[in-house]
Amino acid sequence: GIQVEQSPPDLILQEGANSTLRCNFSDSVNNLQWFHQNPWGQLINLFYIPSGTKQNGRLSATTVATERYSLLYISSSQTTDSGVYFCAVNTGNQFYFGTGTSLTVIP
Amino acid sequence: DAGITQSPRHKVTETGTPVTLRCHQTENHRYMYWYRQDPGHGLRLIHYSYGVKDTDKGEVSDGYSVSRSKTEDFLLTLESATSSQTSVYFCAIRDRTYNEQFFGPGTRLTVL
């Protein structure tokens, strides 16, 4: 299967700071998604982004499929951004997840 | 909200007992998935289904079986639960139009 690596594994930010999370994958993919798992365990869809750049409020994502990586940008972080961020890639019928970046935003 | 529910939401059972988890969806999606989530591993695919009675294995399928007799229900069965199967189990659907996955709320299973 495809290997998916996320970095950094852990991140602590002061409220208001910006951050960049990275997702590298080992082979060509059909799809890439970013998820946020909140402290209650719920998985929330952030972006469906097989290529290009998308923005949603303070969050944006860029995928460079030819170089096999994606970046998630969080600007002006808030305490509600805390949780774990996962990227997942799809090839054929299966999806492969990275091990996540655990983000803690301190007031 | 992709209309996905999981039951039960929490379960404690003993080693050697059979356990069945249910995933129910209301939007007629063809593809459904079962994952387990463990610390340090992210989410790993157990089994998936691409239609009624059509299923296939994922990367961690040993010790699990699945069934899909109706489009809306995808069942995950642990025939004889072991402590290594203590985990949080997530069901997902795949929106065929956008090739995007959406997840249910999860089931926390503890095997004593």
Side-chain angles (χ1 to χ4, degrees):
Chain A
I2 295 178
Q3 305 302 309
V4 181
E5 295 183 353
Q6 292 186 242
S7 60
D10 300 283
L11 188 58
I12 300 174
L13 296 176
Q14 202 73 39
E15 197 169 25
N18 304 327
S19 62
T20 301
L21 283 58
R22 187 176 179 101
C23 173
N24 293 333
F25 44 98
S26 62
D27 206 344
S28 299
V29 299
N30 299 328
N31 175 23
L32 187 143
Q33 288 184 255
W34 283 97
F35 296 90
H36 175 216
Q37 187 169 39
N38 64 23
W40 296 271
Q42 184 183 8
L43 283 157
I44 300 164
N45 290 38
L46 296 178
F47 293 102
Y48 163 76
I49 185 165
S51 63
T53 297
K54 290 186 178 180
Q55 180 153 9
N56 184 3
R58 297 181 295 103
L59 273 60
S60 64
T62 295
T63 297
V64 183
T66 53
E67 297 187 20
R68 301 178 185 168
Y69 73 90
S70 183
L71 302 174
L72 177 68
Y73 306 96
I74 304 174
S75 64
S76 304
S77 58
Q78 300 176 358
T79 55
T80 53
D81 295 331
S82 296
V84 182
Y85 290 80
F86 291 102
C87 71
V89 300
N90 161 247
T91 178
N93 289 328
Q94 299 203 24
F95 290 76
Y96 300 90
F97 281 75
T99 53
T101 292
S102 178
L103 174 64
T104 302
V105 181
I106 301 171
Chain B
D1 184 358
I4 307 166
T5 57
Q6 293 184 229
S7 58
R9 294 292 315 279
H10 302 272
K11 186 171 182 67
V12 180
T13 191
E14 295 189 349
T15 297
T17 60
V19 176
T20 295
L21 309 182
R22 179 182 184 237
C23 178
H24 179 78
Q25 55 124 339
T26 60
E27 298 182 357
N28 207 35
H29 294 288
R30 180 182 171 195
Y31 286 81
M32 299 183 74
Y33 299 78
W34 276 108
Y35 293 86
R36 61 178 289 173
Q37 184 177 25
D38 305 289
H41 289 280
L43 280 83
R44 293 180 292 172
L45 182 64
I46 304 172
H47 283 278
Y48 67 96
S49 170
Y50 48 97
V52 173
K53 293 187 175 13
D54 292 323
T55 65
D56 205 349
K57 296 179 179 180
E59 64 175 308
V60 291
S61 59
D62 286 350
Y64 301 95
S65 63
V66 290
S67 65
R68 192 162 177 208
S69 59
K70 299 184 291 184
T71 299
E72 57 266 34
D73 289 325
F74 191 30
L75 304 181
L76 177 70
T77 297
L78 292 65
E79 300 289 351
S80 178
T82 68
S83 58
S84 65
Q85 294 176 311
T86 292
S87 187
V88 179
Y89 291 86
F90 285 96
C91 172
I93 61 90
R94 174 178 164 191
D95 181 312
R96 186 65 169 166
T97 303
Y98 299 103
N99 201 27
E100 189 173 355
Q101 279 200 313
F102 293 87
F103 282 84
T107 293
R108 183 173 295 277
L109 176 67
T110 302
V111 184
L112 302 176

